[in-house]
Amino acid sequence: MLNDKRILLIITGGIAAYKSLELIRAIKKQGGSVSTILTKAAKQFVTPLSVATLAGEKAFDDLFDLNDETEIGHIELSRAADLIVVAPATADIIAKMANGMADDLATTTLLATDKPVMIAPAMNVRMWEHVATQRNVLQLHNDGIMVVGPDEGEMACGEYGPGRMAEPEAIIAAIIEALSPVDAEKPLQGKRVLITAGPTHEPIDPVRYIANRSSGRQGYALAIAAERLGAKVILISGPVNLDIPPGIEVLPVETASEMLQYAKDELPVDIAIFAAAVADWKVKNSADEKLKKQKGQDSMQMQLVQNPDILQTMAKLKTNRPQLVVGFAAETENLLENAKAKLLKKGCDMIIANDVSHETGIMGGNDNQVHIITADKVESWPKMSKQAVADRLMEYLAAMLGHGVNI
Ligand code: CTP
């Protein structure tokens, strides 16, 4: 898209000028705006009226138009544009540009500009292949001017070969690419982020397990957010019903013990976020065979033992501790007190607290409302989608890491 982008289109005198009308429409369709300059020769092929009508603004054509110069000078005309496109670019204007000539509004504007310039050459095949034209085009290329086309094909004059102006679709694609921002350095580039997500399944026997209602959505959203910021993401996931996000390494696990082992195996990491709803308990001696009801049995006992606390283990590592360790506190009452106590008990750097009492609808839903708790402050964020929480949180953690938060 070319939203809010302004193109200055310079139309020179070639039969391909009719395709420039198509180009104006295409730029506008992409959300851009177009100002136009026609050379004297261009006016032999298209009229200023049709150009102005399609562009929705006056078409400029004369350097010495007193009114135009007081309204908008050639310098302003070029400065207001994000990109100048010469299409079609004849052998004549290419030669003038290569030599820095300025004898009309088009060439003067091109010489006065500090904006990127693109040309779409169009001419007879022999003119294109002429050593002078090739020398001029090479000069423009070396001067940093973008050259689109020409295409090969049958010419208006009946000859065949290179010289046809590139199609408007190809020119518009080149314009969009030229105006796309180069990716700024991503804040988590080169960082490793480990995330646990989803529930764990603790086996009772080969067909039964203890589980919980976690959907894994918040953890997966965090993984997507971290990847967007350039991190290498390792997502250790309990059993969930979610698509595997592209570009993210997913390590599927079932139990808390497996989750801890995988987490340790992935060290060192820069940030570790423990978003999994890990079962606190596992069955002490889970059965290898399916448990059968015994005759006359009307109750059964299962002994549960505590699972390892993954967050706490990782936060209290003596070596290889991740620089930032983040936990979640899903509470149904006394949210902030419980969450603050968890921060201390587990030894992590941040707790994301959320109220998962039934009436909030957060458990398993798409939205979340969280409080960010660190050693020295509590920040309450409004209710938003789990992806929005994830994006904001990853930005926050990237900033903490960038500022060298040491623990
Ligand atoms: N967590 C973990 N390993 C566990 C239990 C919890 O890594 N065995 C992590 C969770 O991923 C979460 C945080 O610890 O980031 C808090 O989990 P929560 O279940 O709310 O806390 P618990 O320590 O289990 O405390 P309680 O059940 O008493 O509220």
Side-chain angles (χ1 to χ4, degrees), residues 196 256 259 273-281 307-312 326-331 338 342 345-346 351-352:
T196 66
M259 193 172 262
I273 307 173
F274 298 91
V278 183
D280 289 332
W281 305 98
N307 257 327
D309 190 316
I310 304 167
L311 168 62
Q312 188 162 324
V326 180
F328 275 73
E331 306 289 342
N338 284 340
K342 249 170 217 177
K345 183 177 144 221
K346 307 230 182 192
I351 283 282
I352 317 297

Side-chain angles (χ1 to χ4, degrees), residues 56-272:
E57 357 186 322
K58 175 179 165 47
F60 294 88
D61 61 1
D62 193 341
L63 178 58
F64 301 108
D65 182 323
L66 197 58
N67 287 332
D68 286 352
E69 276 300 301
T70 46
E71 276 170 33
I72 175 169
H74 54 274
I75 307 257
E76 273 67 33
L77 205 50
S78 72
R79 298 273 159 87
D82 296 293
L83 175 72
I84 301 183
V85 179
V86 187
T90 57
D92 180 61
I93 197 150
I94 288 173
K96 284 179 172 161
M97 287 170 78
N99 290 285
M101 290 170 70
D103 64 354
D104 64 0
L105 183 59
T107 47
T108 311
T109 305
L110 284 162
L111 199 60
T113 192
D114 56 356
K115 294 297 160 65
V117 177
M118 178 183 290
I119 60 167
M123 66 198 72
N124 166 276
V125 57
R126 285 177 202 281
M127 292 169 78
W128 173 252
E129 286 175 346
H130 195 285
V131 63
T133 305
Q134 289 302 307
R135 187 174 59 229
N136 291 335
V137 172
L138 181 64
Q139 182 63 54
L140 292 186
H141 179 80
N142 290 341
D143 291 344
I145 287 173
M146 294 166 270
V147 183
V148 187
D151 289 350
E152 199 169 307
E154 196 167 344
M155 327 253 3
C157 55
E159 287 188 68
Y160 190 91
R164 281 164 56 115
M165 186 170 92
E167 292 302 322
E169 301 87 73
I171 301 175
I172 198 87
I175 292 174
I176 291 172
E177 199 190 324
L179 292 176
S180 304
V182 186
D183 262 5
E185 174 77 15
K186 293 180 176 171
L188 290 179
Q189 201 83 48
K191 303 291 180 196
R192 280 168 66 79
V193 176
L194 177 114
I195 297 169
T196 66
T200 62
H201 284 185
E202 306 297 335
I204 298 169
D205 68 14
V207 293
R208 304 180 179 94
Y209 52 81
I210 299 173
N212 61 64
R213 294 185 195 281
S214 166
S215 66
R217 281 205 187 96
Q218 187 62 75
Y220 273 57
L222 282 161
I224 291 167
E227 201 271 339
R228 279 185 196 152
L229 295 187
K232 158 78 182 133
V233 182
I234 305 115
L235 177 60
I236 305 179
S237 174
V240 293
N241 235 333
L242 298 171
D243 291 338
I244 292 178
I248 290 165
E249 186 182 343
V250 180
L251 303 174
V253 297
E254 296 240 329
T255 66
S257 304
E258 282 174 333
M259 193 172 262
L260 174 60
Q261 191 54 52
Y262 274 64
K264 282 180 175 166
D265 288 348
E266 289 302 324
L267 293 173
V269 298
D270 299 280
I271 301 177

